[in-house]
Amino acid sequence: MVPIDEFVARLKKIPASTFTVAGVRQFLVQHPVSPESLQRYLFFQKDHYTRNLIFKNELFELLALCWEAGQGSEVHNHWNQNCWMAVPIGSLTARNYRVSDADEVRQTCRLTPTGLFILDGRNPMAVDPEEPVHEVFCSAKNQQRSVSLHIYSLPFDSCLVYSTEDGTYRKVKLSYYSLYGEQIDPSQGLAGKGKVG
């Protein structure tokens, strides 16, 4: 295992030309992060999971998402970005969806579940660029907190969130709960609500 600072330093050395879906996933397999080194970035909330920025440059951003048992994201996509997830603490479940019959005017579509994946310390995941719509959740059955590391390339600040109940979708602005180990003052309107991953 490597401490988070070393993990970031090595990740920064990957050239943009080889910052690929398969390449970064293999990097995650070969460089599991020491849970103890993450402590300064971990902020938990009872009513929602939190998005905590560890590092960001023009090529990628690295976040620690903190989940209490039973918390989960909404179904969401990414804007032509690649996304990788590793879970150094606990375990999470990811469910992928296929989107069809999208109507951009009415913002409606049909969602079909296509796969379910368990994420833990031995099983990092790369989001499939062909089917990037997914949700992530921390099962209440496990009765334990989990922490996931998310790498997004390129960094992004919005995504589409989908409703499985009524088949609609909407654009959502993303934010952080903490920056580089420091919690953001909620009175400034910057605190992340942790609604999407």
Side-chain angles (χ1 to χ4, degrees):
M1 289 191 170
V2 297
I4 188 62
D5 290 344
E6 181 179 342
F7 178 87
V8 171
R10 293 187 184 189
L11 194 59
K12 286 165 57 179
K13 290 180 180 178
I14 300 176
S17 60
T18 56
F19 210 90
T20 62
V21 173
V24 175
R25 185 186 182 285
Q26 186 61 29
F27 176 88
L28 290 174
V29 171
Q30 295 173 343
H31 301 87
V33 172
S34 164
E36 296 79 19
S37 69
L38 291 170
Q39 291 307 309
R40 67 177 294 226
Y41 301 107
L42 305 186
F43 297 88
F44 291 87
Q45 287 290 307
K46 291 182 179 180
D47 57 347
H48 53 76
Y49 74 89
T50 63
R51 304 176 77 246
N52 305 284
L53 183 65
I54 296 174
F55 177 83
K56 184 175 185 177
N57 63 18
E58 291 183 0
L59 179 59
F60 71 91
E61 63 180 346
L62 172 65
L63 281 73
L65 274 61
C66 298
W67 314 76
E68 296 283 7
Q71 292 178 345
S73 74
E74 295 181 87
V75 179
H76 62 281
N77 78 342
H78 299 300
W79 293 107
N80 298 316
Q81 288 85 3
N82 288 321
C83 171
W84 301 264
M85 294 178 270
V87 182
I89 300 172
S91 66
L92 296 171
T93 302
R95 179 181 290 118
N96 288 347
Y97 291 86
R98 180 178 299 117
V99 178
S100 58
D101 303 327
D103 184 326
E104 294 184 11
V105 175
R106 295 188 301 160
Q107 292 190 315
T108 59
C109 65
R110 187 159 50 93
L111 293 176
T112 305
T114 59
L116 199 66
F117 305 90
I118 303 299
L119 303 166
D120 57 27
R122 296 163 302 180
N123 297 296
M125 173 185 170
V127 172
D128 183 350
E130 299 300 317
E131 288 188 358
V133 176
H134 60 278
E135 64 181 328
V136 180
F137 51 94
C138 183
S139 174
K141 295 179 182 178
N142 294 342
Q143 298 183 343
Q144 66 175 354
R145 288 175 164 178
S146 294
V147 174
S148 53
L149 295 176
H150 294 236
I151 301 168
Y152 302 110
S153 181
L154 299 170
F156 66 106
D157 63 3
S158 64
C159 69
L160 296 179
V161 167
Y162 299 81
S163 169
T164 56
E165 287 78 27
D166 60 15
T168 61
Y169 62 90
R170 68 191 190 282
K171 185 177 179 180
V172 172
K173 182 84 171 168
L174 301 173
S175 56
Y176 306 112
Y177 191 80
S178 70
L179 299 175
Y180 314 111
E182 299 292 331
Q183 187 173 345
I184 296 171
D185 182 355
S187 68
Q188 297 179 16
L190 296 173
K193 294 299 183 185
K195 291 291 186 182
V196 294

